[in-house]
Structure formats: structure tokens, C-alpha cells
């Protein structure tokens, strides 16, 4: 899942981003409203965590503009205004998909982000299977031949993309775009290292093949 956090409070933005990354999400940060709009025009984010009180361009204006797109991200509006009228205005007049007041508990933020991602058109199935591998996203569980398999968040995210491909190749660049954030150097060895660790844990039951010039794919 690709998430953009638009928040001008740097410490809070980094805290949210770090927490979401630990949940196997790819997270970028924008500190101003115009930057958030520009990043959403360049990247297909699943969810935008949007502070209403942003500099240069307000979160309200960002929300209005993004709603004009053909396929906008789902928007979780963050605000210190807890009044009912503010919530109704954010959800109706501005077109936000959800609303969360500050201060908030982080587990609730994660739950709301995940819920918004499931509202996207034609969501992928919550249980993915390929050969002896089963990934149950609702239970955050990976099984190999019926037995639990311990994977890191990044390994799980890479495996999910490969499972969604169903044996078709997934390119290195696609893995970078969907699993890592915008600051990752495309030339880094992070993808190869993660694939290598994942191969070791899957073993011969379901090998990951590297197709020259095409990417990585699961094989029976």
C-alpha cells in the first residue's frame, strides 16, 4: 500500500510515517499543501493522510482539487477541530473519505488507513494463494504448507505483490514504487536483499525466479 502523509509538523509527520512503514506500507511525506497536490499528481497513492492546516495551500483546498481527479486517493483528514460541524464539512463539502481529530491514538490511525485502502474500486482479495503459500491480510498471517512463516514487514509486502501477480513477472522498479518510498535510490540493493531473504525462507516449496530483463516471479 502506498501512503502520502501531508503534515507540516515535522516530528508528527516522521512519527506517523515510521509507524505506517512498520505496518509494511510505503510512505512519503509532504510538508506543504502544494507539495502534497504535486506528489498526488505524480504518484498513484492509495491513501492520503491530510492535515487541514497546511502552509502554502490549505488541506481543504488540496482535498477539493484532488476530488477533481479521475482516480483520487482516499483521503483521511487530520484536524485539531473536533466539532461536529467541522467533521460534517470535511466529509461533505470537502469530499474527505474519513476524519480523525488530534490528538489521536496511532492504532486507530492505522485501522482507518487500512479501512480506506479497502474502499478502493475492485480491492484485491484478503486471502492470497499460490502453491503452498497463503497470505491472509486480515489476520496478518503468512502460511507455508499450512505452517506459520515469520516474515518482516518488507518481506511480506514484496510477497504480496508477487502473489497478486500470480506467477507473472514483477519488475524491480514496480517493487520499488509499491513497497518502498520515494526516497529509495532505484539502484539500491534493498530489493535484491529482501528477495534473497524471502527466497531463503520460502525454500524450494515456492521459489522466486529472476527473469532477465523482466523482474521476479513466483514459480511452482
Amino acid at each position: 500500500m502506498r501512503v502520502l502523509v501531508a503534515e507540516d509538523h515535522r516530528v508528527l509527520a516522521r512519527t506517523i510515517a515510521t509507524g505506517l512503514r512498520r505496518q509494511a506500507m510505503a510512505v512519503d511525506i509532504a510538508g506543504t499543501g502544494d507539495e502534497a497536490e504535486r506528489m498526488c499528481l505524480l504518484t498513484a497513492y492509495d491513501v492520503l493522510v491530510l492535515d487541514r492546516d497546511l502552509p502554502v495551500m490549505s488541506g481543504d483546498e488540496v482535498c477539493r482539487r484532488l476530488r477533481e481527479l479521475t482516480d483520487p486517493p482516499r483521503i483521511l483528514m487530520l484536524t485539531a477541530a473536533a466539532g461536529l460541524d467541522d467533521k460534517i464539512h470535511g466529509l461533505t463539502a470537502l469530499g474527505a473519505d474519513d476524519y480523525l481529530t488530534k490528538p489521536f491514538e496511532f492504532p486507530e490511525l492505522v485501522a482507518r488507513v487500512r479501512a480506506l485502502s479497502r474502499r478502493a474500486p475492485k480491492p484485491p482479495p484478503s486471502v492470497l494463494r499460490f502453491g503452498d503459500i497463503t497470505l491472509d491480510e486480515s489476520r496478518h498471517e503468512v502460511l507455508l504448507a499450512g505452517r506459520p512463516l515469520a516474515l518482516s514487514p518488507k518481506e511480506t509486502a514484496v510477497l504480496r505483490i508477487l502473489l497478486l501477480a500470480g506467477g507473472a513477472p514483477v519488475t524491480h522498479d514496480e517493487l520499488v514504487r509499491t513497497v518502498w518510498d520515494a526516497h529509495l535510490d532505484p539502484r539500491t540493493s534493498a530489493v535484491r536483499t529482501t528477495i534473497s531473504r524471502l527466497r531463503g525462507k520460502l525454500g524450494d516449496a515456492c521459489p522466486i525466479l529472476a527473469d532477465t530483463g523482466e523482474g521476479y516471479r513466483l514459480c511452482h
Side-chain angles (χ1 to χ4, degrees):
M1 184 195 311
R2 193 77 183 262
V3 180
L4 176 62
V5 176
E7 168 64 61
D8 65 320
H9 191 291
R10 294 183 180 181
V11 174
L12 178 58
R14 287 197 299 266
T15 300
I16 293 174
T18 299
L20 293 178
R21 286 167 184 153
R22 288 173 179 167
Q23 299 295 318
M25 302 181 196
V27 186
D28 296 327
I29 296 175
T32 64
D34 63 325
E35 183 182 15
E37 182 192 28
R38 183 171 63 253
M39 293 176 71
C40 286
L41 292 175
L42 294 173
T43 304
Y45 291 102
D46 299 295
V47 178
L48 167 61
V49 179
L50 178 65
D51 182 33
R52 288 189 69 178
D53 189 20
L54 288 174
V56 184
M57 183 190 298
S58 71
D60 290 5
E61 183 62 21
V62 173
C63 190
R64 289 192 191 97
R65 293 191 180 205
L66 292 181
R67 281 301 167 220
E68 296 176 0
L69 299 178
T70 302
D71 188 19
R74 300 292 175 174
I75 298 176
L76 171 59
M77 190 79 81
L78 298 182
T79 181
L84 179 60
D85 289 342
D86 292 297
K87 294 181 179 179
I88 293 174
H89 180 70
L91 293 171
T92 56
L94 300 180
D97 296 287
D98 201 356
Y99 204 95
L100 187 59
T101 56
K102 300 177 181 178
F104 52 83
E105 296 294 331
F106 189 74
E108 182 179 4
L109 174 68
V110 173
R112 288 176 181 269
V113 169
R114 290 195 182 280
L116 286 178
S117 72
R118 291 195 294 268
R119 293 185 197 175
K122 297 181 180 179
S126 61
V127 178
L128 302 172
R129 294 185 176 87
F130 188 91
D132 290 334
I133 302 174
T134 301
L135 170 58
D136 189 332
E137 295 190 276
S138 63
R139 301 173 66 177
H140 308 293
E141 182 180 58
V142 177
L143 302 177
L144 179 60
R147 297 184 178 181
L149 184 65
L151 299 180
S152 71
K154 283 291 187 237
E155 291 164 358
T156 302
V158 169
L159 178 61
R160 176 180 180 274
I161 300 302
L162 294 174
L163 288 170
L164 285 171
V170 179
T171 67
H172 176 279
D173 288 346
E174 184 177 353
L175 289 173
V176 170
R177 288 196 307 269
T178 54
V179 179
W180 280 267
D181 57 48
H183 299 290
L184 183 75
D185 187 339
R187 297 168 296 181
T188 184
S189 62
V191 174
R192 290 189 296 273
T193 299
T194 303
I195 288 286
S196 178
R197 290 199 304 264
L198 189 54
R199 275 183 176 137
K201 293 181 179 181
L202 293 176
D204 296 331
C206 192
I208 300 174
L209 300 183
D211 291 336
T212 303
E214 294 187 1
Y216 304 96
R217 63 183 178 88
L218 292 173
C219 181
H220 289 291

